Amino acid sequence: MRNLFKIAFLLIICSNSVLAANGIKGVVLNKKNDLHPNIALDSVKRTITDPKNTDPKKRNILNTKNETDIIISDESESYVAEQLINVASDNLGIVYHAGGTTKNGFDCSGLIYSTFKKFDITLPRSSNEMADIGTKIDLQNAKKGDLIFFINRGQHRINHVGMVVEVNGDDVKFIHSSTQSGVVISSMNEPYYKRTFVQLSRIIE
């Protein structure tokens, strides 16, 4: 019996030597976990080295790095805001029409409502209701895509809205549908709009 154990021991040593000569680390049998000696390990781990990288499976390396995400920053303006401006600007020159939301004619809130609607953003239909949503922003912090509100014609509540399309220092330009000129771009440096301005709201961040 003792001779059988010796033979078995020699066979194990010889087999490990053969494996090592072929670049294969010996099979490691570990029936106990070093950290938890009472837990038996059911699996046998085998580590194979392949210095020449001849194993095709070794060449298929999983790449978990994604392409750089598109980050909307203050320096590059909001992509959504730019698209909103492009859509609204396509309507420059369209006549004013009370209650209008199409190229047959827009009222001020109709222009803004239909522009945002193209991006599945549903705003309230009237300028006064639009003023109740979003975040109020100081005019000096205006950004493209912000909504700008006015009270005119002797009214006592907001009755006109436009969308900021350009900010150049103290000059804020906005697109809107005016009763006299239809869809146009105006400037906050114009005395009339300075006088009637009441609020700037940010709908998209």
Side-chain angles (χ1 to χ4, degrees), residues 28-43 45:
V28 178
L29 295 177
N30 184 6
K31 288 297 182 181
K32 293 291 182 181
N33 186 317
D34 292 336
L35 296 177
H36 303 282
N38 295 324
I39 301 177
L41 300 178
D42 296 326
S43 61
K45 297 181 179 179

Side-chain angles (χ1 to χ4, degrees), residues 150-160 192 195-196:
F150 305 87
I151 296 177
N152 52 28
R153 292 183 180 175
Q155 299 295 314
H156 299 289
R157 66 175 191 170
I158 289 172
N159 67 337
H160 192 65
Y192 177 78
R195 185 173 67 252
T196 57

Side-chain angles (χ1 to χ4, degrees), residues 128-194:
N128 187 56
E129 291 174 322
M130 286 182 187
D132 290 333
I133 65 173
T135 304
K136 292 182 181 179
I137 304 293
D138 292 334
L139 184 60
Q140 58 265 30
N141 296 322
K143 295 174 76 172
K144 292 180 180 180
D146 289 346
L147 298 187
I148 191 164
F149 298 93
F150 305 87
I151 296 177
N152 52 28
R153 292 183 180 175
Q155 299 295 314
H156 299 289
R157 66 175 191 170
I158 289 172
N159 67 337
H160 192 65
V161 61
M163 181 174 66
V164 175
V165 296
E166 183 181 340
V167 179
N168 186 10
D170 295 333
D171 188 14
V172 176
K173 290 184 170 59
F174 60 98
I175 190 169
H176 63 128
S177 183
S178 70
T179 54
Q180 294 181 348
S181 304
V183 180
V184 293
I185 293 176
S186 301
S187 170
M188 279 300 296
N189 285 338
E190 298 175 40
Y192 177 78
Y193 294 114
K194 277 187 177 181

